[in-house]
Amino acid sequence: MTKEQADQRARRRSFTGQRSGLGRSHWVVERTFAWLHQFKRLRIRNEIRADLHLSLLQLACSIICLRRLRTSF
């Protein structure tokens, strides 16, 4: 294999890696978890019932959306 062929092969590998789409929205998930981490009741799950935890999670998401809307207008 010549150096030119090896270069072409490396370029093909890097091009397909960029087009795969992996990791494009990874930072969105991390940012969302950071926002939810601000709510102390959700950091450590103390609720035994799943419906209470779900309702607190929904309340936290609603508060986050409300804060985002206030700053955008």
Side-chain angles (χ1 to χ4, degrees):
M1 182 184 297
T2 65
K3 180 167 174 44
E4 189 174 320
Q5 289 173 337
D7 288 343
Q8 286 178 350
R9 196 173 190 187
R11 272 188 253 134
R12 266 188 263 133
R13 252 188 270 131
S14 66
F15 181 72
T16 56
Q18 290 175 355
R19 303 289 262 158
S20 68
L22 295 175
R24 285 190 179 179
S25 62
H26 185 70
W27 62 274
V28 175
V29 175
E30 288 179 350
R31 182 182 61 193
T32 306
F33 283 141
W35 285 340
L36 288 173
H37 194 68
Q38 293 175 356
F39 296 91
K40 292 180 183 178
R41 286 297 289 258
L42 293 175
R43 285 185 196 170
I44 300 172
R45 185 176 169 184
N46 294 327
E47 287 78 22
I48 296 172
R49 293 176 37 194
D51 59 340
L52 290 177
H53 183 72
L54 180 63
S55 63
L56 286 173
L57 185 64
Q58 290 173 343
L59 180 63
C61 290
S62 301
I63 292 171
I64 289 170
C65 289
L66 180 66
R67 288 178 185 167
R68 293 282 293 173
L69 285 172
R70 278 189 191 164
T71 59
S72 65
F73 289 113

